Amino acid sequence: MSAFTRELDRDGGRYLSRVTHLEMDACPAGDEPDAPAGTLIETWHAPAVDAYLALFRRVGEPWLWYGRLRQSRESIAAHLRAPTTELYRLWVDEVLAGFVELDRSTPDETEIAYFGLVPGYPGRGLGGYLLRVAVQRAWRGDIRRVWLHTCSEDHPDALAIYQHVGFRPFAVETQWVRDPRLAGLLPRSAAPHVPIPE
């Protein structure tokens, strides 16, 4: 359970989320870390919408990721084809284990829009490795800032991991979120650490 106290709006089917925005303004020294044995990070060029959403759900369901699930298929397809979108998949012993999505749509900066591992892979040091690779790749080109955000529904270690690799919080906000489980976007079994507001 997050240290953030849960507040629920049961009449409106909403929960209160705390969102922390983090950034770095210089590329960390050094090159990409060496790949652990049996791992491979591959560029995922313009994937099919169904394949993308399947991985998005596998990685994000435990943490209530819903952003892409509220978009139209046409909007997602256009995003995946955009030259400013970069996707990378992590394979471990030839099994798909996670992904990273970079968004370069704002000049001079890169957002790490999505980053995570498939259930069963956190806790093995793979997240830190994938994140460090993502940061190095996010800094490619004429970039002045790399940023991301996390929220109180995320993995309890997420904020500490981001800060450990060099991100600094620059804004924190709270917002009411309509529960995607009640909307049918995610199964009711998703993210049991977040009570369903009903």
Side-chain angles (χ1 to χ4, degrees):
M1 172 71 81
S2 166
F4 181 53
T5 302
R6 296 285 171 205
E7 291 189 39
L8 306 177
D9 170 17
R10 299 185 188 280
D11 292 334
R14 304 183 301 172
Y15 56 83
L16 192 64
S17 177
R18 181 175 64 189
V19 181
T20 303
H21 302 269
L22 303 100
E23 66 183 355
M24 58 173 63
D25 57 14
C27 182
D31 299 321
E32 288 187 11
D34 293 334
T39 64
L40 171 70
I41 295 177
E42 69 166 357
T43 303
W44 198 17
H45 294 288
V49 172
D50 286 339
Y52 170 83
L53 287 178
L55 184 55
F56 182 92
R57 286 178 177 276
R58 285 183 68 199
V59 172
E61 185 175 297
W63 318 113
L64 289 185
W65 289 10
Y66 63 87
R68 297 286 181 237
L69 305 180
R70 289 184 171 165
Q71 293 182 248
S72 69
R73 291 179 62 85
E74 294 76 14
S75 174
I76 295 171
H79 172 73
L80 296 176
R81 292 192 304 266
T84 54
T85 299
E86 292 180 21
L87 291 162
Y88 301 96
R89 289 190 294 187
L90 172 68
W91 296 84
V92 178
D93 296 325
E94 301 184 359
V95 177
L96 188 54
F99 86 108
V100 172
E101 180 175 328
L102 304 182
D103 183 346
R104 297 181 180 274
S105 58
T106 301
D108 303 330
E109 65 181 47
T110 305
E111 177 189 4
I112 300 179
Y114 291 102
F115 158 81
L117 301 175
V118 169
Y121 288 92
R124 297 166 54 177
L126 296 167
Y129 162 65
L130 182 59
L131 180 59
R132 284 178 170 84
V133 171
V135 166
Q136 291 293 329
R137 296 186 184 186
W139 278 103
R140 290 176 177 172
D142 187 16
I143 301 298
R144 63 173 179 79
R145 181 176 84 128
V146 172
W147 71 283
L148 51 75
H149 70 270
T150 186
C151 67
S152 48
E153 297 78 64
D154 205 349
H155 190 285
D157 295 332
L159 184 58
I161 290 170
Y162 294 142
Q163 291 179 288
H164 182 71
V165 301
F167 285 96
R168 298 181 309 278
F170 68 91
V172 177
E173 59 181 329
T174 56
Q175 57 190 27
W176 286 104
V177 177
R178 295 198 179 278
D179 196 311
R181 296 166 295 188
L182 294 178
L185 297 174
L186 291 169
R188 294 177 65 88
S189 59
H193 62 291
V194 182
I196 298 177
E198 59 180 5

